Amino acid sequence: MEQNYEPVVQAVGLTKLFRDFWNRPKARAVNGIDFEIRPGEVVGLLGPNGSGKSTTVKMLLGLLYPTGGKVTVFGKSPRAVETKREIGYLPEESYLYKFLTAEETLNFFGSLFNISAADRKQRIDQLLEMVGLSHARYRKVGEFSKGMARRIGLAQAMINDPAFLILDEPTSGLDPIGCREVKDLILALKKRGKTVLITSHLLSDVEDICDRVIVLYGGQIRAEGALDELLAVGDETRIVTPQLPKPVMDKLLALLRENLDGESFSIGHPRRTLEEFFLDVVAQARQECVDTSGVATGGKIAEYLTGDSSDKNAVLQTLLAPETPAPAKAEVPLPAKAETPAPAADKLADALRDAAEPEAGKTAPEPVKPADDEEKLRRANDKLDSLLGGKSGE
C-alpha cells in the first residue's frame, strides 16, 4: 500500500527553450520532463555535459522561468520567498567574496536569512568545526584552495538549516577524506528527514549515498529508478563465504561444474574499494600521531542540523537569563578561596546560610526590620571571627 506524501519537488512537462537575440529558438535544454522528489530522499541527477542538469537545477531554484510545463517546490513556486528559505544551494563553483574571512562569509549569508546574531555565532562555530576549517576562520576566503573553498561553500549552503539541499558537484576539489566526510554528512541529513538533490560526474559517490537516480540525455529522462533495481544483474548470482578449506572448495567446484553444463564461472577473493583502502591507511597514520600540515579533519555534525540542540538551547537560555534583583544586603568580606581549608569552608557556608535564610521548619518571617538585619550580621561576623581568627567586618 502506497503512503500518501506531499512531494518536495514535482515537475510536469518541464521545458526550457533558449532563444537568440531575434527570439528564434536556439536550444531546447530541457524537453518536457516529469519527475518527483519525495521527502527524505537523496536523489542523483546525472547526465553528460549539456544534458540539461544545470538548467533543471536553476528552474528548481527559481533562477530560470520554464518555457513550458510546471515545477513546484514544497507545493509552491520556486520563486516564492517562503520556498527559498527552505532551500540550501551549493553551486558547482563557489562564488565567494574573496576579501571576507570564513567567519564573515558565514555571518553574511546567515544575516540574509534574518538569523539572530546569537544563533549565527553558534551555527558558525559548529559549521566551521564540521567542515574542518575552525583553524582558518579568520583567513580571507580568497586565499583558500579549491578544496577549502568547497568546504566553506558547503557550510554556507547549510547556514539556514534547509529542508531541501541542492548540491552541484559537492565533492569536486576535495581529497578522499573530504569526500567521505561530505557523504557521511549527506547520510546524516537524510536520517534527520532532509531531502537532498545531487548532481555529480563522480558516479561512485552517487552510488554510495543516493536512493534513486534520474539520468538525463538531450534534455529528456532516459532512465529513472532506485539504484538497487537499476544496477542489479538478474541473470547472475554471487555467493560470499569465509575462506573455505581445500576439500570443501574441491567439492564446491565439482558441484558447480556438474550443474553449470560447461558454462564458465570465476572464483576469487572480494576486493575493497580504493577509497576504503586509502581511508584505512590515513586512519592508521592518525593513530600513530603522524604530523600533517594539511586540512584538519571535519568534526561532528553541527548540533542544529541534527535536531538535538533545541532542548539544550532552552536550558542554556534559562541559565543565562538575568535573575530578578534581590534586595540589597550587607556583604560580608571573605578571604581568598585558596586560604580557606575545606572543613572551614563548609562551616563558612553554613554561617552565611544562617545569616541570609530563615531557619528550616519555620514559616516565612515577617518583613525584616533594620534591627534584625544588624543582629543577623553581628551573629555572622561573630562566627567568622571564631572561624578565621580575626574580625572579618573590619
Side-chain angles (χ1 to χ4, degrees):
M1 182 176 179
E2 293 186 359
Q3 295 181 351
N4 295 325
Y5 62 88
E6 182 71 23
V8 174
V9 175
Q10 186 171 37
V12 179
L14 188 61
T15 302
K16 182 58 183 179
L17 177 65
F18 290 102
R19 300 178 181 273
D20 62 12
F21 177 78
W22 306 103
N23 202 33
R24 296 174 299 191
K26 183 174 64 172
R28 190 177 292 272
V30 178
N31 190 8
I33 62 175
D34 302 336
F35 68 92
E36 287 185 353
I37 300 178
R38 308 180 189 100
E41 276 192 318
V42 180
V43 178
L45 187 62
L46 310 178
N49 292 330
S51 59
K53 301 189 305 297
S54 297
T55 302
T56 301
V57 166
K58 289 177 181 178
M59 287 190 283
L60 294 181
L61 292 169
L63 302 177
L64 287 178
Y65 195 78
T67 306
K70 182 181 180 182
V71 61
T72 59
V73 180
F74 295 110
K76 301 178 182 178
S77 167
R79 294 193 168 194
V81 175
E82 296 82 2
T83 303
K84 294 183 182 294
R85 290 183 183 276
E86 299 298 324
I87 297 177
Y89 175 51
L90 174 66
E92 184 176 1
E93 296 290 339
S94 299
Y95 300 101
L96 304 171
Y97 295 102
K98 61 182 180 179
F99 295 110
L100 295 181
T101 65
E103 181 179 31
E104 291 169 342
T105 297
L106 296 181
N107 188 63
F108 168 73
F109 282 101
S111 65
L112 295 180
F113 290 96
N114 292 325
I115 302 172
S116 66
D119 286 343
R120 287 204 305 271
K121 184 179 184 308
Q122 183 184 52
R123 293 186 182 189
I124 289 169
D125 293 341
Q126 295 175 9
L127 287 171
L128 288 176
E129 179 185 0
M130 184 182 72
V131 299
L133 290 178
S134 294
H135 65 290
R137 65 186 303 149
Y138 301 120
R139 284 181 57 186
K140 294 180 180 179
V141 297
E143 303 172 359
F144 282 5
S145 65
K146 183 176 181 180
M148 296 174 71
R150 294 305 285 169
R151 289 170 181 263
I152 196 67
L154 184 63
Q156 67 83 21
M158 294 185 290
I159 189 69
N160 59 317
D161 191 13
F164 179 37
L165 265 169
I166 300 177
L167 307 178
D168 196 352
E169 300 287 349
T171 57
S172 174
L174 295 178
D175 55 32
I177 301 172
C179 291
R180 183 71 263 171
E181 290 172 353
V182 169
K183 289 188 285 188
D184 289 342
L185 168 64
I186 293 172
L187 293 175
L189 294 175
K190 174 190 171 182
K191 289 180 180 178
R192 193 191 163 191
K194 292 186 179 294
T195 307
V196 184
L197 176 66
I198 297 174
T199 67
S200 178
H201 293 297
L202 301 175
L203 301 185
S204 60
D205 291 345
V206 175
E207 186 177 353
D208 286 343
I209 57 178
C210 287
D211 303 309
R212 290 193 302 125
V213 294
I214 301 171
V215 182
L216 297 177
Y217 187 85
Q220 295 180 321
I221 295 178
R222 306 298 300 180
E224 179 182 5
L227 283 173
D228 290 341
E229 299 173 358
L230 296 177
L231 302 182
V233 181
D235 57 354
E236 292 184 4
T237 301
R238 182 176 63 180
I239 301 174
V240 179
T241 69
Q243 182 67 35
L244 297 176
K246 189 177 185 305
V248 178
M249 180 62 73
D250 292 339
K251 291 181 181 179
L252 177 61
L253 291 174
L255 182 63
L256 291 174
R257 292 191 187 101
E258 179 182 349
N259 289 273
L260 290 179
D261 296 330
E263 293 186 18
S264 63
F265 61 91
S266 62
I267 295 178
H269 294 286
R271 289 181 56 181
R272 292 184 294 172
T273 64
L274 181 59
E275 179 188 46
E276 291 172 339
F277 172 76
F278 177 87
L279 294 177
D280 285 346
V281 172
V282 173
Q284 181 64 32
R286 285 183 177 152
Q287 289 179 358
E288 297 173 3
C289 299
V290 178
D291 292 334
T292 177
S293 59
V295 174
T297 305
K300 62 181 180 180
I301 305 299
E303 289 184 358
Y304 76 93
L305 291 175
T306 62
D308 297 333
S309 61
S310 57
D311 295 338
K312 296 178 182 178
N313 288 339
V315 174
L316 288 176
Q317 293 298 330
T318 303
L319 294 175
L320 297 176
E323 298 180 357
T324 305
K329 296 180 180 179
E331 296 184 357
V332 180
L334 299 177
K337 185 176 180 181
E339 298 177 1
T340 307
D346 295 337
K347 295 180 180 179
L348 179 59
D350 293 337
L352 291 177
R353 279 194 292 271
D354 291 342
E357 300 177 359
E359 294 181 7
K362 293 185 178 180
T363 58
E366 297 181 357
V368 180
K369 299 179 181 180
D372 295 335
D373 280 342
E374 293 177 1
E375 178 62 22
K376 287 185 177 182
L377 180 59
R378 185 187 63 76
R379 291 202 309 269
N381 285 333
D382 290 343
K383 290 185 178 182
L384 289 174
D385 290 341
S386 62
L387 290 172
L388 304 175
K391 292 186 177 181
S392 58
E394 296 179 357

